[in-house]
Amino acid sequence: MTEDATLVTIELGERGYPVRIGHGEVASVGAQMAALDLGRRALVVTNAAIARRYAHPLLDSLDAAGIEAGVAEIPAGERYKHLGTIEKIWSAAMARRLDRHGVLIALGGGVVGDMAGFAAACYYRGISFVQVPTTLVAMVDSSVGGKTGVNFHGKNLIGAFWQPNLVCADLDTLASLPTRELRCGLAEVIKHGAILDLAMFERLESAFVTRPERGGLRLTAKVSLSPDTARYSVVRSCQLKGQVVAADERESGQRAWLNFGHTFGHALEATAGYGKLHHGEAVSIGMVLAARLGVLRGDLEASDAQRLEAVCAAVGLPTKVPAGTDPEVVFAAMGRDKKAREGQMRLTLLTALGQATVAADTPPEMILSLLRQACVET
Ligand code: NAD
Ligand code: GLY
């Protein structure tokens, strides 16, 4: 078991849970589950590539803790995030005779986590669920907060709020993550700093812009993610997201801040064609556009928008819309956002670095004009 794990507790009363962040955490999952008395029969949901690297230490730890477990391998990728895959998870759970005391363990990124969580939410009307995130996106965002689901006629339109009982984030797994996926995770980390924590934003600025880090995981020819900054990013993101979720689990208020950059981002992702722009890349461009909109509205200093853009660019994230993007198509896609209410677009915007707001009163012509300008600048 790891000695050096940092513990973040998500304060949701009876549904609260520990998030452990450290090195070698995959091998401690069994002991942690046993300590929480989560169940004696489990199914690990993962994909073949992740299983090859990390299933063995996980299964060994479950065995050592007296937890009988099998593996359900699901196909990798966002295009398999659908109900057909959920059915496969349920069938595997039935085949292993998991009952309402059984546990689903998600070993992987956000795709695996969102689906295993949704499968757990419905199986026997809801069973225990453990997140073992192996991407930076999953460590800093998707494994915490209980949003689970699949794509159906649109992204994540079928799902449930279903909190995990335990999250074990193993920083060692980031070593095998492709650089592009690492950068995508940093987009969500930068987002957390931009909306909630100026000190965190400034620490990222220092690590990537002012005194670029070398050593650790390579991000660009000039910039790396050091072990210290990686750990800080995961711990602080889980603390910040945990506080927001504890105060507003069902997104009736401040949780919408976590969507900063996402209304522009989702629309860009959809218009580029899913898979072309990765989610974190779309969020990076979306945050830059949302910050510029804040400046146009007179809510945000231009220098703050520039600082945000500089951090995203420094880690190698895109900050400009892809060449050939049609502003009218992006604008139309933004109107279909989940947050829109009665045709009114609701955008999360910054009022300062570390402070956000949700505004429904931006004139549509202002958004369209910003998009037209951005599409000329590509
Ligand atoms: P992902 O799960 O598709 O993983 C990216 C790729 O990395 C996959 O090919 C995966 O097999 C591979 N991989 C995973 N771990 C690896 C490792 N350690 N080494 C090498 N390869 C590894 O992508 P993601 O960015 O983790 O998650 C994106 C998904 O998460 C989207 O579906 C999004 O909707 C969802 N999401 C959910 C929430 C939430 O709150 N529930 C928040 C953010 C994102
Ligand atoms: N990823 C946004 C949220 O969890 O609310």
Side-chain angles (χ1 to χ4, degrees):
M1 196 193 310
T2 60
E3 297 296 328
D4 71 332
T6 305
L7 185 69
V8 175
T9 304
I10 309 302
E11 307 284 359
L12 279 169
E14 280 182 355
R15 284 173 299 103
Y17 49 96
V19 179
R20 292 173 56 89
I21 299 139
H23 295 276
E25 278 300 306
V26 167
S28 90
V29 173
Q32 299 308 323
M33 283 176 60
L36 293 171
D37 200 14
L38 287 186
R40 295 268 145 217
R41 200 179 280 260
L43 180 69
V44 177
V45 181
T46 187
N47 69 38
I50 302 167
R52 201 169 54 243
R53 287 195 161 94
Y54 304 113
H56 274 297
L58 175 56
L59 289 171
D60 287 349
S61 90
L62 296 171
D63 189 45
I67 299 166
E68 199 186 305
V71 176
E73 277 184 15
I74 58 173
E78 185 74 27
R79 69 181 187 286
Y80 295 104
K81 192 178 173 186
H82 56 53
L83 288 170
T85 307
I86 297 293
E87 218 177 302
K88 289 200 170 88
I89 299 172
W90 287 331
S91 298
M94 289 288 176
R96 288 210 67 82
R97 289 186 286 121
L98 250 66
D99 61 13
R100 65 194 174 88
H101 304 291
V103 188
L104 288 189
I105 303 173
L107 173 69
V111 168
V112 164
D114 280 14
M115 280 198 288
F118 183 58
C122 305
Y123 190 81
Y124 276 71
R125 297 206 179 89
I127 61 171
S128 295
F129 161 49
V130 174
Q131 288 267 23
V132 187
T134 62
T135 65
L136 190 57
V137 166
M139 289 182 199
V140 302
D141 193 352
S142 63
S143 65
V144 170
K147 280 190 182 174
T148 72
V150 292
N151 301 327
F152 186 78
H153 292 241
K155 197 165 154 73
N156 299 335
L157 292 188
I158 300 290
F161 284 98
W162 192 250
Q163 300 293 343
N165 301 75
L166 166 70
V167 181
C168 293
D170 187 339
L171 297 164
D172 292 342
T173 62
L174 296 178
S176 57
L177 197 63
T179 307
R180 192 171 176 187
E181 301 296 345
L182 210 52
R183 290 183 189 139
C184 284
L186 284 171
E188 303 289 0
V189 178
I190 293 167
K191 178 193 78 179
H192 287 141
I195 58 171
L196 290 163
D197 187 357
L198 176 61
M200 181 193 200
F201 184 86
E202 289 182 336
R203 174 145 175 194
L204 299 173
E205 229 174 7
S206 162
F208 303 130
V209 185
T210 342
R211 279 176 284 116
E213 288 181 344
R214 292 184 186 263
L217 303 168
R218 196 175 144 105
L219 293 167
T220 69
K222 293 190 185 143
V223 180
S224 300
L225 175 65
S226 72
D228 274 0
T229 303
R231 188 179 186 121
Y232 168 79
S233 296
V234 178
V235 171
R236 191 66 191 129
S237 287
C238 290
Q239 287 170 339
L240 290 167
K241 184 164 179 184
Q243 284 161 14
V244 171
V245 167
D248 178 25
E249 186 183 7
R250 299 273 170 147
E251 199 171 308
S252 51
Q254 200 197 20
R255 188 161 181 172
W257 286 18
L258 300 175
N259 299 320
F260 176 57
H262 284 59
T263 305
F264 283 106
H266 281 153
L268 286 165
E269 244 180 308
T271 48
Y274 282 115
K276 294 229 172 72
L277 268 182
H278 285 198
H279 180 66
E281 295 166 345
V283 167
S284 168
I285 304 166
M287 289 193 293
V288 169
L289 291 174
R292 283 196 199 170
L293 189 63
V295 176
L296 284 178
R297 284 170 49 98
D299 297 335
L300 184 69
E301 298 286 343
S303 55
D304 285 345
Q306 282 152 10
R307 284 171 70 185
L308 177 66
E309 188 165 345
V311 179
C312 292
V315 301
L317 284 161
T319 56
K320 298 197 182 316
V321 301
T325 303
D326 183 336
E328 326 282 331
V329 176
V330 177
F331 183 73
M334 287 176 72
R336 294 191 288 275
D337 187 73
K338 276 207 289 299
K339 292 178 294 305
R341 276 190 207 154
E342 287 142 21
Q344 187 89 357
M345 223 182 270
R346 300 174 77 247
L347 290 168
T348 303
L349 301 169
L350 296 184
T351 49
L353 285 170
Q355 185 69 38
T357 186
V358 177
D361 61 351
T362 310
E365 357 13 295
M366 188 186 272
I367 300 170
L368 197 48
S369 144
L370 174 86
L371 285 170
R372 287 191 182 125
Q373 179 64 32
C375 289
V376 172
E377 283 172 15
T378 60

